[in-house]
Amino acid sequence: QGYKAGDVFTAVFNGFSAELFLPGVQVSEELASMVNRGGMLAMSDTLIFMILSLSCIGIMGVLGIFEVIDKTIFKKVKTPEQLTISSMLLILLFGAATGNDFATVVISRDLLDGAYKKMGVDLRKAAAVALTGAIVTTMCLPWSFCAAARRSTTAPLRARS
């Protein structure tokens, strides 16, 4: 393609740059704001958060927190409907606490598997409850990662004249 290897590695790490790959081409400010981004450096926050959240979930599992929650919250549950409702409330609570859909879904799997297996309910229902709860909380809460991303990428509405 005619690009130097160093320029390609720079783009992979720092993201695409119209000035670097399209020299002499006039790019509008709006187009430049859309294409001049990305790269591995832009993903570092997400990767660090994923590593930390998985570590936290692992520590919670080793400490037995999931078993305690299973014994206290799900002990009075007698029907699959009660299990679904209590599971959704628990997932909404975790979603509100973490503000992240990824962590909520991973935590949900560890929390819900035991109760759903004991009740004989298909684990796909637990997955559906976990995903729904994670999506609802992270899309609705103003402090969630999804809401923060929406705020940073959504242009403010302009009054029409």
Side-chain angles (χ1 to χ4, degrees), residues 75-156:
K75 72 178 179 181
K76 294 183 180 180
V77 172
K78 303 293 183 217
T79 66
E81 293 79 16
Q82 290 175 343
L83 180 63
T84 302
I85 291 169
S86 60
S87 299
M88 182 58 76
L89 292 174
L90 187 62
I91 299 309
L92 292 174
L93 176 67
F94 270 102
T98 62
N100 183 281
D101 53 350
F102 173 75
T104 304
V105 169
V106 174
I107 287 174
S108 303
R109 187 204 170 274
D110 290 329
L111 281 174
L112 303 180
D113 273 5
Y116 277 74
K117 285 179 183 174
K118 281 184 216 169
M119 184 91 39
V121 179
D122 189 2
L123 290 179
R124 289 179 290 188
K125 186 170 185 177
V129 168
L131 287 171
T132 304
I135 290 169
V136 166
T137 54
T138 57
M139 294 306 284
C140 294
L141 297 174
W143 61 83
S144 72
F145 284 95
C146 292
R150 278 195 322 268
R151 281 193 304 273
S152 68
T153 58
T154 305

Side-chain angles (χ1 to χ4, degrees), residues 8-32:
V8 172
F9 285 118
T10 299
V12 167
F13 187 72
N14 293 328
F16 182 82
S17 171
E19 295 85 25
L20 183 64
F21 288 99
L22 304 170
V25 176
Q26 183 66 23
V27 178
S28 69
E29 189 176 318
E30 291 84 11
L31 181 61

Side-chain angles (χ1 to χ4, degrees), residues 20-78:
L20 183 64
F21 288 99
L22 304 170
V25 176
Q26 183 66 23
V27 178
S28 69
E29 189 176 318
E30 291 84 11
L31 181 61
S33 71
M34 288 190 291
V35 298
N36 288 341
R37 57 175 67 181
M40 292 185 340
L41 193 58
M43 291 297 295
S44 63
D45 293 342
T46 303
L47 292 173
I48 290 169
F49 180 80
M50 287 174 58
I51 291 168
L52 290 175
S53 64
L54 287 173
S55 301
C56 181
I57 292 167
I59 291 169
M60 290 172 69
V62 169
L63 293 175
I65 293 172
F66 299 125
E67 289 82 16
V68 171
I69 291 173
D70 186 39
K71 289 177 184 174
T72 56
I73 292 181
F74 296 125
K75 72 178 179 181
K76 294 183 180 180
V77 172
K78 303 293 183 217

